[in-house]
Amino acid sequence: MTSFRGGSSSGAAKPRQHDRDARGGRGPRAGRPAHDPSRMTAYQALLAVHRDDAYANLVLPGLLREAGLFGRDAAFATELTYGTLRARGTLDKIIAVAADRDISRIDPPARDALRLGAYQVLHTRVPSHAAVASTVDLVHSVAPGAAGFANAVMRRIAERDLDTWLAQVAPSEQDDPVGHLAVTGNHPEWIVRAFREALGGDLAETAQLLSADNDRPEVHLCARPGRADAVELADAVGGQPGAFSPYAVYLGGGSPGELVEIKTGRAHVQDEGSQLVANALIEAPLEGSDERWLDLCAGPGGKAGLLAALAAQRGAHLTAVEVTEHRANMVANAVRGLPATVVCTDGRSVGSDRDLPEGGFDRVLVDAPCTGLGSLRRRPESRWRRQPSDLPPLTKLQRELIAAALRAVRPGGLVAYVTCSPHLVETQVSVTEAVRRSGMDVEFVDARQSLPAGMPGLGDGPTVQLWPHRHGTDAMFLALLRRRS
């Protein structure tokens, strides 16, 4: 039976409810058609992302339900939202030229509407005249005084195609290849440099990665071991079994949250890369006892759910740790009915918390907080939200959590260090520095041996970096460590 232990802890604030002024304000001009619900829903999603620091994948489903959008209308609103967020940096450069002013000098309501309009003109098959007219009407609803300005800007944008605009706003490929790729590939330059470094300096492969980041990702399901079979699940949901994880199912479309298999706990939504790195910890050979497993950073619960299901099959028990109460509740829901205990505490408290004794666990997962640069295709707004200044506090936390995991695991036991980022500072540097500082006898285990046989593009080991353009997964990093004494 799942149990929960922990005290109160404040969680992250939820996005504020959109007020009436942000929703609409005055209507369109007399004689002009009203804005359509799909575009207004996409606009509201952008507003929540840019004003409230919300994530589109969390806020958009509720907006779609509220607007009563289904089928093609919902798909159009989704494409506008995610496409605009992916291309925001480049769209802003184009809008700034067309407006003859810095993007920061455009009022936020008009700015988001112009981004939506520019995306339609430059990236979709919406006729230019329709994109211009609908954008002007949207601006008239959300920022009436800027309607004339929006009309002039949109008409200038529509005068050229995307390639012509890119030739004007992107740096020269010959003089500044990284800067050129950042603009044409819709990523901040610092992220392009980090990706290039992680790929060994290969700019051509970096371009492939950026392209994969800009593609709409498939939904991946995880068939819970002991509760569902991947092949049977694929047949039931109209998907197909994954390429690598024995539990993965690729879902072609639809709303996964509405699937009965999700509602009944037979499956959950989880990127195949996350499944692979969690399962690798369990597949790695271990001598001695193998009954006490620990997930040190368990929220929101995807990996904990998979580990707990595997624990049920192997006679093990999972302790899942999460520092914030609302995320601990999510973990408890994910492992309900499975042999797991959820502890609401700081994972760094190993040795001082009765639930986290030193040397008390056989296998430990550290899915550490990180920049999330490995999941930019699923959370495109993060590419513009994250900054290099985010790295120092995150890497400090990562090293501290690895150190805690090494204290928690018994001699001979295994630790898996996982991040959803390929940034070398968060991957190789964090783990090697944490091991160096630990003062313990620790060896790196070849993680490739715990991934499916024949899986391509895993590098030279002993650590593994997965990639969207190589494996179709998020860019998950995995290091396996054995504490020898």
Side-chain angles (χ1 to χ4, degrees):
M1 292 292 291
T2 302
S3 60
F4 178 94
R5 298 179 196 155
S8 62
S9 177
S10 60
K14 296 181 179 178
R16 296 191 298 271
Q17 189 72 20
H18 300 289
D19 55 41
R20 296 187 64 176
D21 289 339
R23 288 174 176 277
R26 295 170 53 189
R29 289 163 288 175
R32 294 295 295 272
H35 58 75
D36 69 275
S38 294
R39 289 182 172 89
M40 177 54 80
T41 298
Y43 169 79
Q44 291 172 338
L46 294 188
L47 184 68
V49 166
H50 296 142
R51 186 190 65 187
D52 302 330
D53 285 337
Y55 285 100
N57 67 317
L58 300 180
V59 73
L60 183 59
L63 292 173
L64 293 173
R65 288 193 300 269
E66 187 178 334
L69 296 180
F70 303 95
R72 294 176 66 181
D73 290 336
F76 183 51
T78 301
E79 166 62 16
L80 290 183
T81 300
Y82 282 96
T84 303
L85 289 172
R86 290 187 191 101
R88 195 196 87 181
T90 303
L91 293 175
D92 282 358
K93 291 181 181 298
I94 294 170
I95 292 169
V97 172
D100 195 25
R101 67 180 67 174
D102 190 88
I103 193 73
S104 63
R105 294 180 54 214
I106 301 175
D107 287 342
R111 185 167 60 210
D112 276 336
L114 287 171
R115 287 165 171 161
L116 280 171
Y119 179 78
Q120 292 171 68
V121 168
L122 300 173
H123 290 274
T124 76
R125 287 185 281 184
V126 174
S128 293
H129 65 87
V132 172
S134 62
T135 301
V136 173
D137 285 331
L138 177 58
V139 172
H140 198 274
S141 294
V142 301
F149 167 74
N151 181 58
V153 173
M154 285 300 302
R155 288 183 180 278
R156 292 190 191 111
I157 292 173
E159 290 173 355
R160 309 175 189 176
D161 62 15
L162 178 60
D163 288 340
T164 304
W165 274 114
L166 290 177
Q168 178 174 353
V169 301
S172 164
E173 184 174 10
Q174 182 175 355
D175 297 338
D176 185 3
V178 171
H180 177 84
L181 190 55
V183 175
T184 59
N186 297 316
H187 284 69
E189 189 170 327
W190 76 274
I191 292 179
V192 177
R193 293 188 184 279
F195 285 174
R196 183 187 185 185
E197 184 179 10
L199 287 166
D202 191 327
L203 196 63
E205 189 174 8
T206 304
Q208 295 174 20
L209 170 58
L210 300 186
S211 178
D213 259 358
N214 289 327
D215 290 338
R216 185 170 66 178
E218 289 182 303
V219 175
H220 293 176
L221 305 181
C222 178
R224 289 277 180 93
R227 293 185 177 182
D229 173 81
V231 174
E232 295 175 354
L233 177 64
D235 289 340
V237 302
Q240 61 181 22
F244 304 115
S245 168
Y247 314 114
V249 171
Y250 302 158
L251 191 63
S255 301
E258 299 302 316
L259 296 173
V260 65
E261 290 79 7
I262 300 291
K263 294 180 178 179
T264 57
R266 297 181 62 235
H268 61 267
V269 177
Q270 185 178 41
D271 180 79
E272 187 175 18
S274 292
Q275 298 175 39
L276 287 166
V277 296
N279 189 56
L281 171 63
I282 309 308
E283 290 297 316
L286 179 67
E287 294 183 1
S289 65
D290 193 9
E291 301 175 351
R292 302 160 299 172
W293 299 355
L294 173 64
D295 185 347
L296 203 59
C297 313
K303 295 182 183 69
L306 175 55
L307 291 176
L310 290 169
Q313 292 186 314
R314 304 194 182 198
H317 184 90
L318 176 71
T319 298
V321 175
E322 172 53 45
V323 68
T324 60
E325 186 174 11
H326 79 286
R327 285 168 64 90
N329 289 330
M330 295 171 70
V331 177
N333 185 62
V335 301
R336 183 172 291 116
L338 296 168
T341 298
V342 180
V343 180
C344 186
T345 192
D346 191 320
R348 293 170 291 182
S349 63
V350 171
S352 61
D353 189 304
R354 65 183 180 86
D355 294 309
L356 300 177
E358 291 193 11
F361 300 92
D362 304 305
R363 299 181 190 263
V364 180
L365 173 67
V366 184
D367 182 17
C370 65
T371 56
L373 300 185
S375 59
L376 297 183
R377 58 191 190 140
R378 301 192 186 279
R379 288 190 166 181
E381 63 275 3
S382 290
R383 69 185 70 183
W384 312 113
R385 185 175 291 172
R386 284 298 190 184
Q387 300 295 330
S389 58
D390 295 330
L391 285 165
L394 282 171
T395 54
K396 179 177 182 293
L397 176 59
Q398 290 158 8
R399 293 193 301 268
E400 291 171 350
L401 288 166
I402 295 169
L406 291 172
R407 296 197 307 272
V409 74
R410 66 167 174 84
L414 289 166
V415 171
Y417 172 63
V418 169
T419 63
C420 189
S421 170
H423 199 299
L424 290 180
V425 172
E426 298 189 89
T427 57
Q428 301 290 352
V429 174
S430 277
V431 70
T432 55
E433 186 65 11
V435 169
R436 185 188 69 81
R437 294 185 184 185
S438 71
M440 297 181 182
D441 186 4
V442 178
E443 67 173 336
F444 281 80
V445 178
D446 193 340
R448 298 173 300 173
Q449 303 304 314
S450 298
L451 292 170
M455 190 172 176
L458 298 182
D460 299 327
T463 62
V464 164
Q465 179 66 63
L466 303 180
W467 295 102
H469 65 292
R470 291 184 187 176
H471 309 105
T473 68
D474 289 348
M476 303 296 301
F477 172 82
L478 168 65
L480 285 177
L481 310 172
R482 177 174 283 111
R483 177 180 169 184
R484 292 193 287 203
S485 63

